[in-house]
Amino acid sequence: MTLFPVDDPDKVAFTGVLPAGPRPFVLGEGQGEKSLVFDQLFEILLSGDETDDQFGAWTMKARQGDRIPAHVHLKTHEFFYVVDGEISVWMDDQDGYHSKTTLTTGDFAYVPAGIVHAFKIENTTTVFGAGTAGFERFFHAIGQKTEAAEPQGIFVPDFSVMRAAGEKYATIFMPEFQFRD
């Protein structure tokens, strides 16, 4: 079971079901560590603790909503695989590459570190994601712990919480960024 002490500055205080070490385990549907971030339900399935700091994995479930603010991860590479539904993804390297792609069931997108990106859920969608180890805890740092199986309600973190999570997880929010779409 994952249990992070509050006095450890590298960990988010969170008690969950993950073994917190590289040991085999199985999770049933909905048994991961869940947080509500805005109107999206993130479920951590695997963290850097279980992979010797190699990668983390999660799912995100959401209903149709607004585009999340543009942001960039300075150290985290991540991907989106659409399990079911439809999500639009914007990416911009601030140099010459830019895209807006609508992904549907079975589609995949890779966002390397340093790429400004955002997404918008177009209809009820489930996405499987993975990224550089440690980043998966960002969702707990910014969100509200929940046991819900589906996204319920909206949790908007205080800006100070978003800023602190961004600093801790090398993420810069860029709400004024203009994508070329």
Side-chain angles (χ1 to χ4, degrees), residues 69-80:
H71 60 284
V72 61
H73 306 299
L74 303 177
K75 299 178 181 178
T76 300
H77 305 280
E78 68 178 321
F79 71 71
F80 300 87

Side-chain angles (χ1 to χ4, degrees), residues 20-83:
R23 296 183 290 280
F25 69 99
V26 174
L27 294 174
E29 183 176 358
Q31 291 182 335
E33 300 172 355
K34 295 177 275 197
S35 290
L36 183 66
V37 181
F38 301 110
D39 58 352
Q40 302 149 12
L41 179 67
F42 286 89
E43 182 175 0
I44 309 305
L45 305 173
L46 186 67
S47 77
D49 296 320
E50 290 79 41
T51 65
D52 287 329
D53 290 324
Q54 294 182 43
F55 57 92
W58 59 86
T59 61
M60 184 267 297
K61 293 181 181 180
R63 295 179 183 88
Q64 182 179 20
D66 296 329
R67 183 168 74 184
I68 65 162
H71 60 284
V72 61
H73 306 299
L74 303 177
K75 299 178 181 178
T76 300
H77 305 280
E78 68 178 321
F79 71 71
F80 300 87
Y81 174 77
V82 182
V83 175

Side-chain angles (χ1 to χ4, degrees), residues 6 46 96 101 112 116 169 181:
V6 176
L46 186 67
T101 306
V116 179
Y169 295 96
D181 62 325

Side-chain angles (χ1 to χ4, degrees), residues 14-155:
F14 194 87
T15 302
V17 298
L18 301 180
R23 296 183 290 280
F25 69 99
V26 174
L27 294 174
E29 183 176 358
Q31 291 182 335
E33 300 172 355
K34 295 177 275 197
S35 290
L36 183 66
V37 181
F38 301 110
D39 58 352
Q40 302 149 12
L41 179 67
F42 286 89
E43 182 175 0
I44 309 305
L45 305 173
L46 186 67
S47 77
D49 296 320
E50 290 79 41
T51 65
D52 287 329
D53 290 324
Q54 294 182 43
F55 57 92
W58 59 86
T59 61
M60 184 267 297
K61 293 181 181 180
R63 295 179 183 88
Q64 182 179 20
D66 296 329
R67 183 168 74 184
I68 65 162
H71 60 284
V72 61
H73 306 299
L74 303 177
K75 299 178 181 178
T76 300
H77 305 280
E78 68 178 321
F79 71 71
F80 300 87
Y81 174 77
V82 182
V83 175
D84 185 44
E86 183 178 17
I87 179 174
S88 293
V89 178
W90 288 260
M91 293 186 274
D92 194 314
D93 70 358
Q94 301 181 76
D95 188 30
Y97 175 83
H98 59 276
S99 73
K100 177 195 177 220
T101 306
T102 300
L103 307 172
T104 59
T105 302
D107 290 344
F108 176 90
Y110 173 63
V111 184
I115 302 297
V116 179
H117 61 287
F119 64 84
K120 178 181 184 243
I121 304 299
E122 302 295 347
N123 60 47
T124 301
T125 299
T126 300
V127 173
F128 173 71
T132 307
F135 177 73
E136 66 282 351
R137 297 291 179 200
F138 171 80
F139 304 119
H140 294 332
I142 196 173
Q144 178 182 58
K145 184 178 177 179
T146 183
E147 296 299 322
E150 297 293 327
Q152 296 178 0
I154 296 175
F155 176 76

